Amino acid sequence: MLFSPARCLILLLLLNSTDGRILGKIKERVRNLLLQKAKQPLQHVKEGKIHQQLDHFNRLDFRTFPQRFFVNEAYWRRPDGPVFLFIGGEGPIYEFDVLAGHHVDMAVEHGALLLTLEHRFYGDSINPDGLKTENLSDLSSQQALADLAVFHQHISQSFNLSHRNTWISFGGSYAGALSAWFRGKFPHLVYGAVASSAPVKATLDFSAYSNVVGLSLTNEAVGGSEKCLAGVREAFAAVEAVMGGNASRVAMDFGCCQIPKDLDDQIELMQNLADIVMGTVQYNEEGVLMPIDELCGVMTNKSEAYVEETEAYNRLVKLAQIYHSSSEEPCLDISHEKTVKDLMDTTIHSGRRAARQWTYQTCTEFGFYQTCEDATCPFSGMVTLRTQTELCLMLFGISQHSLPGHVAFTNTYYGGDNPHTHRILYVNGGVDPWKELSVVQDRAEEGAEAQTIFIKDTAHCADMMSRRATDRRSLQKARQEIEKHVDSWLKMAALEKTV
């Protein structure tokens, strides 16, 4: 996943808690927008539950939890049609996940059975006390992959599937990484995998995220410019300067719920303002906030009657107002104390928000902390690795000193961005910051099947959407390439089964 407000269009990771609060809300908007556009009748979809072991690797632990899944048989050509598995990430799954999207378009063509499985400890797939710190030890990507393996067996038995039913997995963002890892760890269960915007390389200090956002703001192909980046950089410096002498003015200008008097609240504000820009870049032309060209129009606008010395500051105020006008919040909550309180909430209703769970996974497996200590970062240097990782100790008692070891183990276990696997297709967009942690160049021998598709002018998980008339030509071509790969995998599997 999984940042800023946004995360994989059709499934995304609903909320990564390394994202700021606004970034998470942007991601929710992505999901809600897609749900509103889904027109297929829900009667095609069946919901089910499977009771999974809480700990697949301890044979003496018999505890279970209910794991939710959806099935769509509408297009399945019985009995030998393929199975398309859409993997859930750090958020709830929806009927939408087996009703719309590029994988569904391909399922119609190939007569596939459509499935989606909710990730353990997210959505409704969690026990009532599952969010307590002592129980979160059962939340990991390794356990999630074991869930997928058991689910494979469950579906095979339920639908009387055989070796003639070829399984292909799909996922985006964190779920994209799971798709790749499922193929890598269980190649006998899934024949091929599509991994969109998949951050397969765990990274503690993900400073490259902000750097790519800055580069994307200069990308003329999507409406950026050097002037735009300079305007953003100048605006954040201006906010820091004003806040140092007049925090009350900043609170009023940006519609804050409280005055950012202490450092923690000031950092929270700067992260939220950065989230607006980061979310715009990550989800560029998906209709959530505004595309990059509109953001750059605001940040370079000379027509407003701004006093020159406060010009950059006022442009960022304008950008925040545009975000605020599209949100349902009465004010911008920048209370760090409230953020921590929300993350400490272990009641089951908070399971649908997912921030606590994802924060735990960043502390124990992935890092992914989007810092701004690098000189190339266009935002506020107040957002540091220390300020982000201190939550690990505060929430879960996980020492900051232990985090590098956790990240290193993840890369050793899965192979990082140099996995020696095959029939995994990594799809990335050129303006997506997450491409930095994915596989973007083919390392296969000459003449071997390509393993990567790079779409130079698209954003996070854009390829996962259904085809649209307004899609860029590069995106249309990328989807055709994905279709060719899936088609070739299915034909190859069919040939192997006749030998």
Side-chain angles (χ1 to χ4, degrees):
M1 104 217 15
L2 274 282
F3 330 118
S4 270
R7 192 194 264 190
C8 235
L9 304 200
I10 92 181
L11 44 169
L12 196 0
L13 343 133
L14 250 211
L15 252 198
N16 296 354
S17 102
T18 51
D19 299 347
R21 187 179 290 157
I22 285 182
L23 207 47
K25 289 174 181 175
I26 292 175
K27 284 183 189 174
E28 290 180 0
R29 289 193 200 177
V30 172
R31 169 65 90 170
N32 293 337
L33 186 67
L34 293 167
L35 287 171
Q36 291 167 13
K37 290 181 178 179
K39 298 176 181 177
Q40 291 86 341
L42 296 182
Q43 62 259 32
H44 289 319
V45 181
K46 297 177 182 177
E47 181 177 351
K49 290 277 180 70
I50 176 175
H51 288 278
Q52 293 272 16
Q53 274 190 265
L54 270 170
D55 185 355
H56 291 287
F57 308 109
N58 182 355
R59 299 304 177 193
L60 299 179
D61 188 342
F62 301 104
R63 295 173 301 158
T64 63
F65 73 96
Q67 190 169 32
R68 187 169 63 140
F69 63 89
F70 291 118
V71 179
N72 182 358
E73 302 176 57
Y75 314 116
W76 187 33
R77 295 188 199 127
R78 297 172 182 267
D80 298 334
V83 179
F84 286 4
L85 171 63
F86 186 82
I87 298 175
E90 68 282 27
I93 58 170
Y94 296 91
E95 292 93 339
F96 174 83
D97 295 325
V98 291
L99 284 172
H102 189 218
H103 64 296
V104 177
D105 297 339
M106 289 185 284
V108 175
E109 179 183 350
H110 293 289
L113 175 66
L114 282 159
L115 310 170
T116 185
L117 180 69
E118 194 164 65
H119 195 297
R120 59 167 51 208
F121 286 66
Y122 292 97
D124 293 333
S125 299
I126 180 172
N127 285 330
D129 59 352
L131 295 186
K132 292 180 179 178
T133 300
E134 60 267 27
N135 294 328
L136 287 174
S137 60
D138 296 312
L139 170 59
S140 70
S141 59
Q142 293 98 319
Q143 296 281 6
L145 295 182
D147 290 339
L148 289 167
V150 173
F151 179 63
H152 183 290
Q153 181 183 33
H154 173 77
I155 291 295
S156 297
Q157 292 175 347
S158 300
F159 288 87
N160 197 27
L161 304 182
S162 70
H163 71 284
R164 301 185 69 84
N165 302 99
T166 303
W167 287 62
I168 307 291
S169 65
F170 300 84
S173 204
Y174 167 49
L178 290 174
S179 180
W181 295 336
F182 188 42
R183 164 66 188 158
K185 295 296 185 182
F186 296 91
H188 59 295
L189 298 184
V190 59
Y191 192 80
V194 179
S196 298
S197 301
V200 292
K201 180 182 179 181
T203 301
L204 184 62
D205 188 345
F206 190 16
S207 60
Y209 183 100
S210 297
N211 298 343
V212 174
V213 170
L215 289 173
S216 296
L217 291 174
T218 69
N219 188 336
E220 294 181 2
V222 292
S225 65
E226 291 290 345
K227 187 178 178 183
C228 177
L229 175 59
V232 169
R233 193 185 300 276
E234 186 181 352
F236 276 84
V239 174
E240 278 195 43
V242 174
M243 189 160 55
N246 193 345
S248 297
R249 177 191 167 186
V250 170
M252 182 175 66
D253 289 343
F254 288 97
C256 300
C257 302
Q258 52 276 119
I259 298 172
K261 293 180 179 178
D262 61 44
L263 180 61
D264 286 341
D265 288 351
Q266 292 174 4
I267 294 172
E268 194 88 14
L269 170 61
M270 300 309 290
Q271 177 68 69
N272 282 335
L273 294 179
D275 279 355
I276 296 174
V277 181
M278 292 157 70
T280 296
V281 170
Q282 183 168 309
Y283 289 103
N284 186 23
E285 294 171 336
E286 299 307 322
V288 183
L289 254 186
M290 67 190 84
I292 291 172
D293 61 349
E294 288 186 21
L295 180 146
C296 286
V298 173
M299 298 308 296
T300 60
N301 185 12
K302 286 285 187 184
S303 64
E304 297 277 2
Y306 295 145
V307 178
E308 188 171 350
E309 53 267 30
T310 60
E311 199 170 36
Y313 175 90
N314 288 328
R315 286 176 184 151
L316 191 55
V317 170
K318 177 71 172 178
L319 189 68
Q321 288 172 344
I322 293 173
Y323 166 78
H324 193 70
S325 66
S326 65
S327 71
E328 298 179 357
E329 296 86 35
C331 54
L332 180 62
D333 195 342
I334 57 168
S335 168
H336 182 68
E337 181 181 358
K338 185 176 185 301
T339 294
V340 173
K341 183 179 179 181
D342 289 344
L343 288 171
M344 286 183 167
D345 184 358
T346 63
T347 55
I348 195 64
H349 73 82
S350 64
R352 297 198 70 81
R353 292 204 305 268
R356 177 174 169 82
Q357 301 96 298
W358 183 248
T359 302
Y360 178 81
Q361 287 196 263
T362 65
C363 294
T364 56
E365 297 189 79
F366 306 125
F368 293 160
Y369 299 110
Q370 297 153 6
T371 62
C372 199
E373 297 177 82
D374 191 300
T376 60
C377 178
F379 308 120
S380 171
M382 297 169 71
V383 181
T384 66
L385 184 62
R386 183 192 63 78
T387 60
Q388 297 203 43
T389 57
E390 65 186 8
L391 283 173
C392 297
L393 182 63
M394 193 181 307
L395 299 175
F396 312 113
I398 298 173
S399 165
Q400 291 170 290
H401 299 296
S402 69
L403 302 186
H406 296 166
V407 168
F409 174 79
T410 299
N411 289 327
T412 299
Y413 189 79
Y414 293 120
D417 60 352
N418 189 26
H420 292 279
T421 53
H422 67 294
R423 286 203 296 272
I424 299 174
L425 183 62
Y426 297 91
V427 186
N428 287 282
V431 298
D432 179 17
W434 291 97
K435 72 176 187 290
E436 294 295 303
L437 304 183
S438 190
V439 179
V440 296
Q441 289 185 327
D442 285 316
R443 296 178 173 87
E445 297 178 3
E446 189 174 345
E449 180 190 49
Q451 298 184 80
T452 65
I453 294 176
F454 190 76
I455 320 167
K456 63 179 181 179
D457 50 8
T458 61
H460 195 61
C461 297
D463 62 283
M464 302 187 75
M465 301 288 287
S466 291
R467 307 175 190 93
R468 295 175 298 184
T470 56
D471 287 333
R472 291 175 176 267
R473 187 172 183 81
S474 58
L475 182 54
Q476 295 174 10
K477 184 178 178 181
R479 288 207 187 95
Q480 291 170 1
E481 288 297 315
I482 295 170
E483 291 161 12
K484 287 179 183 178
H485 275 80
V486 171
D487 184 63
S488 68
W489 292 342
L490 294 176
K491 287 178 178 176
M492 199 182 312
L495 283 174
E496 290 176 5
K497 289 161 187 173
T498 58
V499 175

